[in-house]
Amino acid sequence: MENVNLNKKLLIDAHITANRHPNAFKFRSFEYLDARWVTLDDLKSIRNRCWVTLVNTIFTCEDINDFINFWIKSENDLMERLKITPANGVVLDTDIILKGIPNIKSEKLIPSAFFFLGNENQKKFSIGTLVLDHECRTVSFEVFERQEYFNDVVSSLKLKQKKIGLEKRKTEINIIEKEGLKNWNLYIRDQKIKETRLEKEAIETELNTIRNEFIRLGTSDHQ
């Protein structure tokens, strides 16, 4: 591995011990068909690679969620495409893998993919996609440059972030109302309930507008 050109694609179909070579993740593209030795920290350490394929890994759905969150926050480009097979016995659970990650699906672009946004400050590739193949038990993560082609997706994702904020505020209001009914006096209660009711109506109007915009843009809301 010391003598192979790092700009080449490397494929190894053999067991590798935990004492991996320093160049293990430095090839332009690489494919390990027995990747039980690869850790989540290894995955996060990859920088500016093209295609990465890891078969027979130890990763769980929670690990994949952790990695996606890391990519979203990272200012570095990690890889253009990552395909992994989770640990034996792991059932691909969409809700776990995408927990806490604002995402949408686009019928116009890749109907089977979940789209999400990464850090745009320094990343060249800031649009992420995830495709889950439940039959083959594979997870395919691919990133793209921000281009006009993705404008509707970006708009939808920003609407999604706004929707999450509105729904969070709606939940907060419900808690305020519930606690207030116990503790406020009659006058304050009537005033507060009127205020919160108006705010909830305004939030619901905004949410309906967002839902209609999703339809116009040809995107669907996973969460």
Side-chain angles (χ1 to χ4, degrees):
M1 292 180 72
E2 293 176 1
N3 298 322
V4 178
N5 187 334
L6 295 179
N7 287 322
K8 302 292 184 180
K9 177 180 178 180
L10 176 72
L11 186 152
I12 293 184
D13 181 11
H15 175 66
I16 297 178
T17 66
N19 298 319
R20 78 287 309 277
H21 194 279
N23 288 343
F25 304 111
K26 293 182 181 179
F27 291 88
R28 185 172 182 269
S29 296
F30 52 87
E31 183 171 352
Y32 294 115
L33 302 186
D34 185 353
R36 287 172 291 180
W37 54 279
V38 180
T39 67
L40 190 57
D41 285 339
D42 290 329
L43 209 55
K44 293 177 179 179
S45 72
I46 298 171
R47 294 290 183 273
N48 298 308
R49 302 301 96 188
C50 289
W51 289 16
V52 177
T53 300
L54 303 172
V55 180
N56 192 22
T57 71
I58 60 171
F59 298 130
T60 64
C61 292
E62 288 82 1
D63 291 330
I64 298 169
N65 174 267
D66 189 326
F67 173 75
I68 295 172
N69 275 299
F70 176 81
W71 175 83
I72 288 172
K73 296 172 185 176
S74 174
E75 295 184 350
N76 300 300
D77 286 308
L78 310 183
M79 72 282 289
E80 294 180 34
R81 184 181 296 178
L82 168 68
K83 186 174 182 179
I84 65 175
T85 303
N88 287 332
V90 170
V91 177
L92 297 181
D93 188 317
T94 305
D95 291 334
I96 295 176
I97 291 174
L98 292 171
K99 183 178 180 180
I101 299 171
N103 67 87
I104 56 96
K105 299 190 78 174
S106 173
E107 297 300 321
K108 294 181 179 179
L109 297 180
I110 312 173
S112 60
F114 297 95
F115 287 81
F116 38 87
L117 287 177
N119 188 323
E120 296 184 274
N121 291 337
Q122 297 183 31
K123 264 193 180 79
K124 179 180 179 182
F125 302 94
S126 60
I127 296 174
T129 66
L130 194 74
V131 175
L132 307 179
D133 187 330
H134 295 273
E135 184 176 348
C136 296
R137 295 186 61 258
T138 59
V139 177
S140 298
F141 168 73
E142 189 168 1
V143 298
F144 301 91
E145 291 185 66
R146 175 76 175 269
Q147 298 177 23
E148 186 177 351
Y149 182 69
F150 291 106
N151 281 352
D152 286 352
V153 164
V154 173
S155 297
S156 294
L157 284 167
K158 290 183 177 179
L159 284 172
K160 180 61 177 285
Q161 292 170 344
K162 183 178 181 180
K163 175 178 179 286
I164 291 172
L166 290 169
E167 290 176 337
K168 181 180 178 182
R169 177 55 184 164
K170 191 175 177 180
T171 300
E172 291 172 350
I173 292 172
N174 289 334
I175 294 172
I176 290 171
E177 288 181 336
K178 185 176 180 181
E179 294 300 316
L181 289 174
K182 299 177 183 176
N183 304 314
W184 295 333
N185 62 45
L186 186 60
Y187 174 76
I188 294 177
R189 184 176 65 189
D190 290 344
Q191 289 295 109
K192 288 290 186 181
I193 287 177
K194 183 178 180 181
E195 291 174 7
T196 54
R197 183 178 295 124
L198 288 172
E199 186 176 356
K200 281 201 294 187
E201 288 176 356
I203 288 174
E204 195 55 48
T205 298
E206 284 193 79
L207 288 173
N208 283 331
T209 300
I210 290 173
R211 293 183 192 107
N212 291 331
E213 189 65 7
F214 278 146
I215 295 172
R216 187 189 72 81
L217 294 170
T219 55
S220 59
D221 185 8
H222 167 60
Q223 295 171 316

